[in-house]
Amino acid sequence: MKDSVVWFSERLERDLRVSRWGHWGTPVLLFPTAGGDADEVERMGIIAAVWPLIEAGRVKLYSVDSVAGRAWIEGGHSTEYCCLLQNRFDECMYREVVPHIRRDCRSETVEIVTAGASLGAFNAVASMCRHPDVFRAAIGMSGTYDLSKYLEGRFIQDFYYASPLHFLPGLDGPVLEQLRQRLVLLPSGEGDYEDIGESWRMASVLGKKGVPNRVDPWGAQWRHDWVTWRAMLPQYLDEFA
């Protein structure tokens, strides 16, 4: 039930890999963690954790390489380049990956759920906030939402448009009206290496703009790792499938 495709993205100026698990059900775009690739979610047990939903034909999962995320954490790249690549990555998801998913689902109008953990949560939430015309819900697990620590105190316009914490307060018009019909789920543990404060901050920005959202604290026994996310994702996908 797995299939993978690779194509050269002119926006990213490199090959992009997209993997898929399942044949039917709600399409879900999973973003890997910062250094992950399209198959990270399989190696780390996420696919196995949600397999009952896949096998039942309730969800169809897609995952992509973490192109922009790698640039942020690798070092050796300028801040300007990382911000520009983050926007190009978003454009690639919207202009290339979404059409691929819709072709694969044989529907030009099917709406997609986004999900991810850590920096993947940033991409999941940012994608839905920027493109509520194609993404109908976002599941941000143990999210890292404030990337301004990488800016070294400088304002960069490309970063503003990439970061929902920063562009949402000024958002208005049709995109905001459509976003108010969507839902953002922000579950987070409170154990080692977790910072649920980032989820609460994201929720505050969303709430002030009238965007439905929910923070779910999972408690101190859940730390920032794959054990937590393997428990979370099946529960939240069950709400949308």
Side-chain angles (χ1 to χ4, degrees):
M1 298 178 72
K2 178 182 178 182
D3 181 67
S4 296
V5 296
V6 178
W7 68 79
F8 182 80
S9 169
E10 293 186 358
R11 293 175 175 86
L12 299 176
E13 300 179 334
R14 69 195 71 196
D15 286 343
L16 178 74
R17 182 181 181 89
V18 181
S19 293
R20 183 208 73 205
W21 296 265
H23 294 299
W24 310 101
T26 300
V28 179
L29 177 56
L30 289 174
F31 290 96
T33 58
D37 60 13
D39 295 329
E40 177 190 56
V41 292
E42 183 177 52
R43 293 193 303 273
M44 302 309 297
I46 292 292
I47 300 302
V50 301
W51 191 255
L53 293 172
I54 296 173
E55 195 170 36
R58 296 182 60 195
V59 297
K60 191 176 184 181
L61 269 55
Y62 300 82
S63 187
V64 297
D65 295 329
S66 178
V67 177
R70 289 175 181 172
W72 283 113
I73 66 169
E74 282 174 352
H77 301 290
S78 70
T79 303
E80 288 80 4
Y81 172 79
C82 291
C83 294
L84 176 62
L85 186 59
Q86 185 69 52
N87 278 314
R88 288 182 175 177
F89 181 72
D90 171 82
E91 186 74 4
C92 175
M93 296 303 103
Y94 186 64
R95 301 292 181 187
E96 299 178 38
V97 175
V98 167
H100 168 73
I101 291 173
R102 286 179 161 178
R103 285 192 300 269
D104 192 59
C105 292
R106 300 180 182 179
S107 171
E108 296 182 358
T109 59
V110 67
E111 294 178 339
I112 302 164
V113 173
T114 65
S118 193
L119 191 61
F122 171 92
N123 285 313
V125 173
S127 293
M128 198 204 71
C129 288
R130 297 181 77 170
H131 309 291
D133 56 319
V134 296
F135 299 117
R136 68 180 178 91
I139 305 167
M141 302 178 292
S142 307
T144 298
Y145 300 109
D146 190 354
L147 304 186
S148 62
K149 61 186 177 183
Y150 295 107
L151 299 185
E152 301 174 345
R154 293 177 292 153
F155 174 81
I156 297 175
Q157 191 171 30
D158 275 324
F159 176 80
Y160 173 85
Y161 289 111
S163 171
L165 281 179
H166 295 85
F167 75 74
L168 272 176
L171 186 65
D172 208 345
V175 174
L176 178 60
E177 291 306 312
Q178 194 162 33
L179 188 55
R180 286 170 172 162
Q181 308 305 312
R182 305 313 193 188
L183 175 64
V184 181
L185 297 175
L186 303 166
S188 178
E190 297 172 276
D192 293 344
Y193 311 111
E194 288 279 50
D195 183 2
I196 196 172
E198 292 220 20
S199 296
W200 283 116
R201 184 178 172 194
M202 187 74 254
S204 175
V205 172
L206 290 163
K208 288 176 181 177
K209 300 301 289 189
V211 180
N213 69 89
R214 189 176 85 219
V215 176
D216 285 354
W218 275 52
Q221 69 272 33
W222 297 97
R223 52 184 287 156
H224 193 87
D225 66 18
W226 291 98
V227 173
T228 298
W229 307 327
R230 286 194 292 267
M232 286 178 173
L233 191 59
Q235 174 177 317
Y236 293 104
L237 286 183
D238 192 44
E239 294 190 28
F240 298 108

